Amino acid sequence: MFFWLVNKGSFTEKWRIFFDAPEDRVGHGRNGLDNLQSEKYLWLLNNEIYSSIISSGKLEENMKDKVKILAIESSCDETAAAVVENGRNVLSNVILSQIEIHKEFGGVVPEVASRKHIENINDVVEKALKDANVKLEEIDAVAVTYGPGLVGALLVGINFAKGLAYGWKKPLIAVNHIEGHINSNYIENKNLQPPFVCLVASGGHTHLVYVEDYGKYEVLGVTRDDAAGEAFDKVARALGLGYPGGPLIDKAAKAGNKKAIKFPRAIIDDESLDFSFSGLKSAVLNYLHNSQQKNEKVIIEDVAASFQEAVVEVLVMKTIKAAKQKNLKYVALAGGVASNSRLREKLQEECHKYNYEFVKPSSILCTDNAAMIGCAAYYKYMKNLFADGSLNAIPNLELAN
């Protein structure tokens, strides 16, 4: 298949695409390029059209009373799509989880996750649009997660979103997955506004973030090794609880004694707000191995409760320390580990003790979802921060302004 470009002057007629054009006419477009491969030609075409779409939208988006964004999230093992209005009003939020598939392997298998995204993404997006009861012309932009995450999984969502934006002639918005988690707090806490401190804890990330303004962040602390959720998964596997570890540890801990075993708390040093959980994980594994060698009975619930308390104490202590340093009113929680009942309880207690207002998303917004991506995208939309056809996956994407 070949593409033939014709310069027509105005944007609505500037580029006319003829598919299956005769081979001898390929390249006789704006630049007179000969023997151009169709893939490269399409890439150039995409960027020209995206640039034109973006430019044409800049004059009117801030004048709209209701901005509706279709958002797509596929960074790990949830295929998700949502329609969000004005950043905080969720019209639909569809999440298709692959947990049951990956349970067999004890964790997420990247290639399997990518294949399932390909199979499911079309139906998930269609359902999101249907549930929101919106028409194509009512969608103002398409947003998508472009990192961090599994590269294959990210690419499925990115390419699908790019195709929609290109076909629908809508602006494309690229969203950082961690930024999405932070923004999930805006959805149910309508009065929440920056500045605030947010603890983002999940299977792949543990961040303490100062949210200075919409889209403006300062990372105060990160994990130096295992993320909190990763530690939960590994300890749950060692205890024979299964996958995913977070909810299973939480459930087992409720029947255990959190003071039964004194596991270490990694403080690192008095000044740092960074985290470390690999030592704690190793301490739990050593406890289990030593108990086995001594033929001592292991009470799984006590191990789960004691381990969970060690993680929660450090997370809460560092978060309160960050809030004190920044002298803020609000403390927020986000990410998959944010649904842990003990973490929510302990952080609530400490915020009350020090007169901070504690905000958190409901459990459905703690997991990977597209509503949070649509929320974050809205504030980018209002600032004309659009992506073009060159958008690619960045699996190790850092949180930046």
Side-chain angles (χ1 to χ4, degrees):
M1 180 175 287
F2 300 98
F3 302 87
W4 182 38
L5 307 186
V6 184
N7 190 344
K8 301 295 290 184
S10 67
F11 168 66
T12 54
E13 295 182 274
K14 186 174 182 180
W15 305 113
R16 183 165 295 172
I17 311 167
F18 292 88
F19 296 94
D20 296 315
E23 185 173 359
D24 61 354
R25 303 182 76 176
V26 174
H28 296 275
R30 178 171 62 109
N31 296 320
L33 300 174
D34 296 321
N35 300 319
L36 198 62
Q37 294 183 359
S38 60
E39 290 84 359
K40 185 176 180 182
Y41 212 45
L42 178 57
W43 185 87
L44 293 170
L45 170 65
N46 269 323
N47 278 285
E48 287 286 354
I49 291 186
Y50 272 120
S51 298
S52 299
I53 291 170
I54 290 167
S55 298
S56 67
K58 281 185 177 180
L59 297 177
E60 57 180 294
E61 77 270 354
N62 289 335
M63 299 171 59
K64 297 196 66 173
D65 291 330
K66 295 182 179 180
V67 174
K68 294 184 178 69
I69 295 176
L70 170 66
I72 295 171
E73 155 65 31
S74 67
S75 63
C76 191
D77 63 331
E78 277 90 14
T79 312
V83 177
V84 180
E85 181 182 79
N86 290 352
R88 303 199 183 204
N89 182 23
V90 179
L91 303 182
S92 66
N93 188 25
V94 180
I95 305 170
L96 185 58
S97 175
Q98 301 176 20
I99 285 178
E100 293 302 319
I101 296 170
H102 296 284
K103 272 184 179 179
E104 178 184 351
F105 309 102
V108 177
V109 181
E111 288 191 12
V112 174
S114 301
R115 290 171 186 268
K116 289 300 175 183
H117 284 313
I118 293 171
E119 292 175 12
N120 297 325
I121 192 166
N122 189 65
D123 291 340
V124 169
V125 170
E126 281 190 2
K127 181 169 173 54
L129 291 169
K130 183 179 179 181
D131 289 354
N133 194 28
V134 296
K135 299 176 182 177
L136 168 60
E137 54 268 25
E138 296 179 80
I139 297 296
D140 297 290
V142 178
V144 66
T145 303
Y146 75 112
L150 303 175
V151 64
L154 288 165
L155 284 170
V156 175
I158 290 169
N159 286 322
F160 196 88
K162 285 165 69 173
L164 290 181
Y166 170 67
W168 293 352
K169 293 182 172 57
K170 304 290 183 181
L172 179 67
I173 303 173
V175 176
N176 183 304
H177 180 76
I178 299 172
E179 182 178 15
H181 275 303
I182 294 169
N183 279 253
S184 67
N185 282 284
Y186 296 130
I187 295 172
E188 294 172 327
N189 302 286
K190 306 297 184 185
N191 296 324
L192 177 63
Q193 294 182 349
F196 59 89
V197 163
C198 185
L199 170 64
V200 185
S202 66
H205 319 284
T206 305
H207 284 57
L208 258 178
V209 181
Y210 170 49
V211 184
E212 184 177 348
D213 200 352
Y214 297 108
K216 191 171 183 180
Y217 309 99
E218 178 188 353
V219 178
L220 303 176
V222 297
T223 182
R224 295 189 180 182
D225 38 61
D226 291 350
E230 183 182 1
F232 271 96
D233 285 340
K234 290 177 178 177
V235 169
R237 187 181 303 119
L239 291 172
L241 294 175
Y243 174 85
L248 297 171
I249 290 280
D250 194 3
K251 182 179 179 180
K254 291 176 181 178
N257 177 5
K258 62 179 179 288
K259 298 180 180 180
I261 309 160
K262 187 64 177 178
F263 289 127
R265 275 72 167 159
I267 305 301
I268 299 177
D269 62 58
D270 292 338
E271 299 300 321
S272 175
L273 290 173
D274 285 350
F275 303 94
S276 173
F277 296 108
S278 65
L280 170 59
K281 174 198 68 182
S282 297
V284 175
L285 297 178
N286 288 336
Y287 173 84
L288 294 175
H289 291 156
N290 290 336
S291 297
Q292 185 180 30
Q293 289 173 354
K294 295 176 183 178
N295 201 26
E296 294 176 347
K297 182 180 179 181
V298 173
I299 302 175
I300 291 176
E301 292 79 5
D302 286 352
V303 177
S306 299
F307 161 75
Q308 178 177 268
E309 194 67 13
V311 174
V312 167
E313 279 189 11
V314 173
L315 290 174
V316 171
M317 183 269 290
K318 297 276 188 176
T319 303
I320 295 299
K321 185 177 179 179
K324 288 179 179 179
Q325 287 184 4
K326 292 297 182 180
N327 192 26
L328 300 171
K329 177 183 178 181
Y330 290 102
V331 171
L333 185 61
V337 179
S339 61
N340 179 274
S341 62
R342 180 56 183 157
L343 177 58
R344 293 162 87 94
E345 177 186 48
K346 182 72 172 177
L347 195 49
Q348 177 72 70
E349 290 173 358
E350 292 298 300
C351 284
H352 178 73
K353 179 180 177 180
Y354 293 102
N355 295 315
Y356 297 118
E357 190 163 338
F358 176 49
V359 296
K360 58 189 182 299
S362 60
S363 293
I364 192 64
L365 293 177
C366 290
T367 188
D368 290 351
N369 67 89
M372 67 184 192
I373 302 303
C375 178
Y378 170 75
Y379 298 104
K380 295 180 181 295
Y381 183 93
M382 299 305 287
K383 296 177 182 179
N384 299 316
L385 298 177
F386 301 125
D388 62 21
S390 66
L391 179 66
N392 203 354
I394 305 179
N396 297 315
L397 180 67
E398 299 289 339
L399 182 64
N401 296 327

